[in-house]
Amino acid sequence: MEADDTCIARGRQLAKAFLDRARADHGLPISQNAVEVTRLVVSELITNAVKYAPGPMILTLRVTPEVVEVAVWDSNPTLPIARAADTGRVGQHGLEIVLTVAQGFVAQREPVGKRVTARIGLADHCDK
């Protein structure tokens, strides 16, 4: 994906379509809440890539019966660091949000750039 004015919205749309297909084609119990949490994580990870890394990025989505994995690769090798919670701070809460809603989070350097991956549990978000 090119880092432009539409990439965050496109990423959110791709995530929703991906999970809708996983639900329809494979019968996975993916609630609307899990879809919205995934879209939020996609937004935050792409926003960080656009803000801190020049050039293109790669969004990868993977689903298992238990989790959806959202990974974003970008060209900046600097790993993200969550800031201490501060209700008075305006902005820069994206990683805090991801860490709060995700069951797992990994940031790793790649031969070029870095990849950040968040795992969102499907069972914890299912409407039953």
Side-chain angles (χ1 to χ4, degrees):
M1 243 190 269
E2 287 302 320
D4 61 23
D5 294 341
T6 65
C7 66
I8 298 166
R10 267 192 331 219
R12 290 173 59 90
Q13 291 165 350
L14 288 169
K16 180 181 183 325
F18 175 80
L19 292 175
D20 287 347
R21 278 193 318 275
R23 186 187 298 141
D25 295 350
H26 302 288
L28 291 176
I30 304 169
S31 72
Q32 187 59 36
N33 188 50
V35 172
E36 292 306 318
V37 169
T38 300
R39 291 178 71 211
L40 173 63
V41 168
V42 165
S43 272
E44 295 301 336
L45 295 183
I46 291 176
T47 297
N48 285 348
V50 168
K51 187 172 181 178
Y52 298 110
M57 71 192 73
I58 299 171
L59 169 65
T60 306
L61 300 166
R62 184 174 157 270
V63 68
T64 72
E66 295 84 28
V67 299
V68 59
E69 214 172 68
V70 175
V72 173
W73 172 90
D74 67 50
S75 63
N76 185 341
T78 304
L79 298 179
I81 298 171
R83 296 177 62 171
D86 179 356
T87 57
R89 184 176 68 238
V90 176
Q92 298 185 339
H93 294 281
L95 190 53
E96 279 178 66
I97 293 168
V98 171
L99 293 173
T100 298
V101 299
Q103 281 189 344
F105 178 83
V106 176
Q108 59 194 39
R109 285 189 180 89
E110 297 282 321
V112 174
K114 71 176 167 299
R115 182 175 315 277
V116 292
T117 305
R119 290 173 193 82
I120 297 115
L122 300 181
D124 293 343
H125 299 291
C126 289
D127 302 327
K128 289 193 177 188

